[in-house]
């Protein structure tokens, strides 16, 4: 479904992605981990074209992201994205946040959009919070609204960019639980995260990145069993034994 | 001169009120027009497209380097020339104000837009919104709201500046006051009254701006 082939990207003279190649099958959950500054977030933002890349090819369902002829807004409307800082629209209520793109992009009616929003708010456990503004919600609640907002577009895949790193520890699980449920329902997911417990429970595959390179791309069991690279082993020992 | 004659003011009130209506109309239309134009200029400056950036920057630097009085004069003579017909002073003044003030509103809106984090636009794009939709529904409403106190402050300045239409003989509040003062030989009364009215309106408005700022920081 998502195919990444030999992607190179530079910020000025600095190369942030080095010959990255991987693929995500339909229904697969792939966790991307690695030290900060390793290019994980940049890679995931390349998948829906939020970050341009100079070399290589990324296709989603056969459609090339980097191709100038591609209708990027249309492609993005099929790919949900959840951000580290939630990025709910602060001037709109939770329900309006979820309705906006349904109305303006999918052309749904007000009633349809509201009904779909209500359903999804229920699903993330926030059925009564539709009328609240983001500033009236906790971080965990905001992130769940953001997930509902992405799901309202009926995406074929979801991208998560460190969805729990900005959360207080006690709120991390409520977000991870929603994500785990999504995975169980068969959603195709790419998740940048440091939550190794989540990776162990939910991931099919784990990609380990360091300094812009995909150092390891293995099944979960291989990765947590015996990572082949020394860098991955070091990373794991740091993150698991503190 | 003699003693202070309140009658000189009260007798002139209907005429002065006509002048004030013109001042307010000119302020309102100029502000609306130049906020729209200024926002477009701000988007051009931030577009990342070289020719557009250049036009935006040149506009701002050009008009901010000219005295407003000159611009008003200029358009009074220029607009009829371009339109190839008689244009009344109000219309030419309005055009001058909109083009001039747009330079200032542009910079306000530019910093307003820049104050909105990149992630907000990303979230819009990620949902499939186009650039224009992302700006219209997500970035600009927030930028406008954040900048409301500054926009209002600039509008207070604009209101004061409309008194410059005196030079093209437009009967705004200031010009009306001057006319009455000279006609009746009541300079002190009318000028003090005009000052008091400008002061009360502008000070009142600036108090409202302060109140807004306080409310927004809560």
């Amino acid at each position: 479904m998502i195919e990444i082939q030999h992607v190179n990207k530079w910020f000025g003279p600095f190369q942030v992605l080095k010959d990255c190649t991987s693929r995500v099958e339909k229904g697969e959950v792939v966790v991307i981990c690695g030290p900060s500054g390793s290019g994980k977030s940049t890679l995931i933002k390349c998948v829906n074209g939020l970050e341009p890349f100079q070399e290589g090819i990324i296709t989603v369902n056969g459609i090339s992201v980097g191709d100038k002829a591609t209708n990027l807004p249309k492609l993005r409307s099929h790919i949900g994205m959840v951000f580290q800082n939630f990025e709910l629209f602060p001037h709109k209520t939770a329900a309006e946040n979820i309705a906006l793109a349904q109305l303006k992009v999918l052309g749904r009616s007000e009633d349809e959009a509201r009904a779909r929003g209500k359903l999804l708010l229920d699903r993330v456990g926030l059925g009564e919070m539709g009328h609240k503004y983001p500033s009236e919600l906790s971080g965990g609640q905001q992130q769940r609204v953001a997930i509902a907002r992405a799901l309202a577009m009926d995406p074929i895949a979801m991208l998560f960019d460190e969805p729990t790193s900005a959360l207080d520890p006690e709120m991390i699980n409520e977000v991870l639980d929603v994500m785990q449920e999504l995975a169980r329902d068969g959603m195709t997911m790419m998740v940048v995260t440091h939550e190794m417990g989540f990776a162990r429970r939910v991931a099919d595959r784990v990609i380990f990145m360091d300094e812009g390179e995909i150092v390891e791309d293995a099944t979960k069991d291989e990765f947590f069993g015996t990572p082949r690279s020394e860098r991955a082993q070091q990373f794991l020992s740091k993150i698991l034994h503190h | 001169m003699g003693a202070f004659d309140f009658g000189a003011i009260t007798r002139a009130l209907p005429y002065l009120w006509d002048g004030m209506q013109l001042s307010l109309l000119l302020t309102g239309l100029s502000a609306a027009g130049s906020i729209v134009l200024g926002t477009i200029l701000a988007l051009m400056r931030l577009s990342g497209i070289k020719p557009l950036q250049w036009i935006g920057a040149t506009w701002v630097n050009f008009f901010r380097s000219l005295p407003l009085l000159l611009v008003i004069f200029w358009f009074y003579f220029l607009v009829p020339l371009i339109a190839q017909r008689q244009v009344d002073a109000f219309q030419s003044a309005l055009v001058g104000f909109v083009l001039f003030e747009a330079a200032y509103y542009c910079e306000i809106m530019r910093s307003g837009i820049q104050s909105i984090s990149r992630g907000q636009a990303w979230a819009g794009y990620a949902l499939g919104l186009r650039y224009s939709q992302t700006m219209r529904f997500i970035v600009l409403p927030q930028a406008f709201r954040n900048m409301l106190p500054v926009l209002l402050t600039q509008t207070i300045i604009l209101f004061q500046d409309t008194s410059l239409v005196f030079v093209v003989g437009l009967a705004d509040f200031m010009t009306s006051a001057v006319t009455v003062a000279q006609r009746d030989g009541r300079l002190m009364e009318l000028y003090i009254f005009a000052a008091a009215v400008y002061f009360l309106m502008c000070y009142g408005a600036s108090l409202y701006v302060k109140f807004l700022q306080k409310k927004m920081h809560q």
Side-chain angles (χ1 to χ4, degrees):
Chain A
M1 169 169 295
I2 298 170
E3 207 152 339
I4 301 167
Q5 290 170 33
H6 306 292
V7 169
N8 285 298
K9 176 178 171 65
W10 289 264
F11 282 132
F14 179 68
Q15 188 166 7
V16 272
L17 295 178
K18 296 174 190 160
D19 196 32
C20 292
T21 297
S22 187
R23 57 186 299 149
V24 181
E25 303 296 341
K26 189 167 187 300
E28 220 180 1
V29 176
V30 174
V31 161
I32 306 172
C33 61
S36 53
S38 59
K40 317 174 293 276
S41 290
T42 307
L43 180 67
I44 206 171
K45 286 197 187 83
C46 285
V47 171
N48 67 351
L50 286 183
E51 287 280 8
F53 49 92
Q54 286 86 1
E55 285 174 11
I57 297 171
I58 296 178
T59 60
V60 178
N61 251 2
I63 300 165
S64 171
V65 177
D67 191 336
K68 288 234 182 328
T70 298
N71 183 344
L72 261 188
K74 185 158 184 230
L75 179 66
R76 286 175 182 145
S77 71
H78 301 309
I79 311 170
M81 184 153 200
V82 174
F83 298 87
Q84 180 174 358
N85 295 314
F86 330 134
E87 303 300 352
L88 290 182
F89 309 132
H91 58 306
K92 292 181 178 296
T93 64
E96 288 166 352
N97 262 277
I98 300 173
L100 179 69
Q102 294 188 70
L103 299 170
K104 305 297 174 190
V105 177
L106 301 181
R108 286 183 183 152
S109 70
E110 287 268 1
D111 287 344
E112 247 179 310
R114 198 178 311 122
R116 185 94 179 94
K118 178 80 178 71
L119 204 76
L120 286 164
L121 279 175
D122 280 337
R123 183 165 163 193
V124 297
L126 296 170
E128 305 307 315
M129 299 291 184
H131 63 284
K132 297 227 165 154
Y133 283 90
S135 58
E136 300 171 304
L137 300 171
S138 73
Q141 291 172 328
Q142 288 188 56
Q143 194 60 300
R144 284 186 281 155
V145 172
I147 294 173
R149 179 175 73 178
L151 291 175
M153 304 299 284
D154 297 323
I156 55 171
M158 290 279 288
L159 309 174
F160 293 85
D161 185 9
E162 305 208 24
T164 57
S165 339
L167 293 175
D168 292 333
E170 74 270 21
M171 293 172 185
I172 290 176
N173 280 331
E174 63 189 68
V175 172
L176 292 181
D177 286 348
V178 170
M179 291 167 60
Q180 185 162 354
E181 208 164 303
L182 259 181
R184 213 189 50 207
D185 292 347
M187 177 62 77
T188 307
M189 291 162 61
M190 278 182 93
V191 186
V192 174
T193 186
H194 293 294
E195 295 294 329
M196 288 301 117
F198 174 82
R200 253 186 224 275
R201 284 197 310 277
V202 183
D204 297 304
R205 281 195 5 255
V206 179
I207 290 174
F208 173 73
M209 289 184 74
D210 193 18
E211 294 177 356
E213 274 177 283
I214 293 181
V215 179
E216 195 116 5
D217 184 346
T219 66
K220 170 177 58 178
D221 294 334
E222 280 173 358
F223 184 78
F224 287 110
T226 48
R228 280 162 292 186
S229 71
E230 201 174 314
R231 279 190 278 184
Q233 284 173 15
Q234 281 174 354
F235 175 75
L236 275 180
S237 71
K238 262 186 227 154
I239 208 161
L240 295 176
H241 307 293
H242 60 194
Chain B
M1 286 281 299
F4 197 92
D5 178 13
F6 280 104
I9 298 169
T10 46
R11 278 192 304 278
L13 276 181
Y15 182 66
L16 293 174
W17 171 236
D18 285 346
M20 180 52 80
Q21 283 177 304
L22 188 136
S23 291
L24 291 173
L25 185 67
L26 186 60
T27 304
L29 292 177
S30 300
S34 47
I35 286 174
V36 171
L37 181 59
T39 303
I40 294 169
L41 288 170
L43 290 173
M44 286 166 76
R45 290 202 76 169
L46 295 169
S47 66
I49 303 166
K50 280 269 151 57
L52 294 183
Q53 284 178 317
W54 186 84
I55 293 171
T58 306
W59 188 300
V60 169
N61 292 326
F62 179 72
F63 278 105
R64 290 211 304 189
S65 310
L66 294 178
L68 177 55
L69 193 59
L70 182 72
V71 175
I72 294 170
F73 256 136
W74 214 49
F75 278 90
Y76 185 63
F77 296 111
L78 198 73
V79 171
L81 219 64
I82 294 172
Q84 287 294 330
R85 63 184 172 88
Q86 207 54 39
V87 174
D88 72 59
F90 184 82
Q91 286 170 6
S92 68
L94 180 58
V95 172
F97 272 110
V98 167
L99 301 188
F100 181 87
E101 292 291 331
Y104 291 87
Y105 284 110
C106 165
E107 291 305 276
I108 296 171
M109 285 310 290
R110 189 162 71 114
S111 59
I113 293 166
Q114 283 177 320
S115 74
I116 308 302
S117 80
R118 201 160 155 216
Q120 284 284 302
W122 268 341
Y125 297 142
L127 286 164
L129 295 170
R130 292 188 304 273
Y131 170 81
S132 57
Q133 292 175 314
T134 302
M135 282 295 153
R136 187 171 145 208
F137 299 119
I138 297 166
V139 177
L140 288 180
Q142 292 184 60
F144 193 82
R145 213 176 103 175
N146 290 353
M147 288 294 123
L148 196 57
V150 193
L151 289 169
L152 284 174
T153 302
Q154 182 65 31
T155 307
I156 295 170
I157 297 170
L158 171 59
F159 173 64
Q160 295 164 354
D161 285 350
T162 56
S163 63
L164 289 174
V165 296
F166 178 67
V167 296
V168 293
L170 209 52
D172 75 320
F173 179 68
M174 185 66 211
T175 312
S176 306
V178 172
T179 307
V180 174
Q182 291 177 344
R183 185 193 64 195
D184 298 351
R186 287 288 168 190
L187 299 184
M188 186 154 77
E189 286 85 349
L190 268 301
Y191 286 164
I192 286 177
F193 180 66
V197 169
Y198 274 114
F199 174 79
L200 284 176
M201 289 181 69
C202 295
Y203 186 61
S206 73
L207 283 181
Y208 177 67
V209 170
K210 269 208 191 103
F211 165 76
L212 264 185
Q213 271 171 327
K214 227 186 203 163
K215 214 172 113 182
M216 281 169 60
H217 282 290
Q218 271 171 7

